[in-house]
Amino acid sequence: SANRMTAQLAEREAERDAAEQARRGLVAAVSHDLRTPLTSLRLLAEAVEDDLVDRETRGRYIAQMSVHIRSLSALIEDLFELSRLEAGDIQWTLQQVRLEELVEETVEAMRAQAEAKGVAVQAAVPEDLAPARGNPERLQRVLFNLIQNAIRHTPADGSVTVSAEAVEGAIEVEVADTGNGVPAEQRDRVFDPFFRGDAARQDGGAGLGLAISRAIVEAHGGTIWLAEAPVGTSVRFRLPAAT
C-alpha cells in the first residue's frame, strides 16, 4: 500500500510539473505574440506623434498600425474562443450538414488566396455522401483553418485537396497538401496552442488555428489527427453522421 501511494504521489507530482510547464509555455507564447506587434505599434505611434516623418510616410505608418491592430484583435478573439471551447462554454445549434455543399463553398472562398500563391485547391466530396451532424458555421471555421494552413505550407505548383467519405457510421473529412510534411518529432504537438513547428514553417501566424480546430471537432464529439500520407500533410477529422 505504501509503495502504491508513493507511486500515485509521484504521478500526481509529475502531472503538476507538466501542467506548470505547459502554463509557462503558453504564457511565454502569448507574451511573444503580443509583444511583437505592440512594440511595432509603439515605435510607429511615437514617430507619428513626434512629427518625425513626412506626410506620405505618416500615411504608410498609419496603414501599418492598422495591420498590427487587426492582428492583435484576431489573436485576442482566437484566445477568447479557445478558452470558451476548452471550458465547455458552447451554445451551438446542431443540424444535418451536407459536407459537399459546405466544402465546395469553403474551397471557393479560399481559391483566390491559393491562386495568389500558385497553389491549386480542389474539393472531392461525393454528391451522395450522408450528412454529418454539426454546426455548419463552426465546421466551416475548421475547414478554413485547415485549408489556410495547408496553403501556407504548400509551395507554388503544389495542391490542396479536400475530400470526405463515410466510415463506420461516421463522416471523415481530409485536407491533404503536397507540401514538405510535418517532421516525425513534431507530429504529436501540431494541435497544441501556439505550436508552429520549425523555423521553415513559421509564417507569422499565432499558431492557434489547429488548436481551435481540434477544440471545435471534439466539441462535436469527433476526433482530429494527422494521417499518414505518401507526400505532404494530411489532416483528417471524424464527425458523427446525422441520424
Side-chain angles (χ1 to χ4, degrees):
S1 297
N3 289 337
R4 184 166 61 253
M5 183 176 295
T6 301
Q8 290 174 346
L9 290 173
E11 183 178 350
R12 289 173 185 171
E13 183 68 22
E15 290 175 352
R16 283 196 295 269
D17 290 345
E20 177 62 17
Q21 184 176 359
R23 185 192 67 80
R24 290 178 179 176
L26 182 61
V27 170
V30 173
S31 300
H32 175 272
D33 278 32
L34 289 175
R35 185 185 300 115
T36 301
L38 284 173
T39 300
S40 297
L41 278 171
R42 178 177 58 81
L43 295 174
L44 291 167
E46 289 175 353
V48 172
E49 184 180 16
D50 294 341
D51 205 19
L52 299 177
V53 294
D54 57 34
R55 182 173 180 179
E56 180 180 349
T57 304
R58 184 183 301 112
R60 189 171 71 253
Y61 281 8
I62 291 173
Q64 292 175 11
M65 291 167 68
S66 296
V67 171
H68 288 303
I69 291 171
R70 287 196 296 272
S71 175
L72 284 170
S73 297
L75 172 60
I76 292 168
E77 286 296 325
D78 282 348
L79 284 169
F80 181 67
E81 180 169 10
L82 186 59
S83 66
R84 288 181 60 243
L85 288 166
E86 292 182 340
D89 182 13
I90 300 167
Q91 297 178 350
W92 299 341
T93 300
L94 300 182
Q95 62 189 68
Q96 291 190 356
V97 181
R98 298 203 61 84
L99 287 171
E100 180 202 4
E101 299 173 1
L102 190 66
V103 169
E104 287 280 0
E105 177 184 308
T106 311
V107 165
E108 191 59 35
M110 299 295 292
R111 195 174 302 281
Q113 180 180 335
E115 291 178 349
K117 196 180 175 186
V119 174
V121 59
Q122 58 188 344
V125 180
E127 295 181 2
D128 60 350
L129 181 67
R133 179 167 176 77
N135 179 277
E137 289 78 17
R138 298 296 176 174
L139 293 179
Q140 188 167 55
R141 174 72 185 274
V142 174
L143 290 170
F144 271 129
N145 287 347
L146 298 184
I147 296 171
Q148 183 177 58
N149 193 64
I151 292 171
R152 284 175 176 170
H153 299 126
T154 301
D157 297 327
S159 65
V160 176
T161 302
V162 187
S163 59
E165 61 180 341
V167 179
E168 300 176 352
I171 307 298
E172 284 191 8
V173 182
E174 179 184 64
V175 178
D177 65 57
T178 59
N180 295 326
V182 180
E185 65 274 13
Q186 298 178 2
R187 292 178 67 86
D188 292 338
R189 300 181 59 198
V190 295
F191 294 103
D192 292 347
F194 292 98
F195 182 75
R196 285 173 286 190
D198 54 39
R201 297 180 68 85
Q202 294 182 13
D203 52 16
L208 288 173
L210 291 181
I212 290 174
S213 296
R214 178 178 63 181
I216 292 174
V217 170
E218 290 179 350
H220 279 80
T223 55
I224 186 169
W225 68 97
L226 281 186
E228 294 297 328
V231 63
T233 301
S234 171
V235 180
R236 294 182 71 92
F237 64 91
R238 176 178 291 195
L239 300 168
T243 57

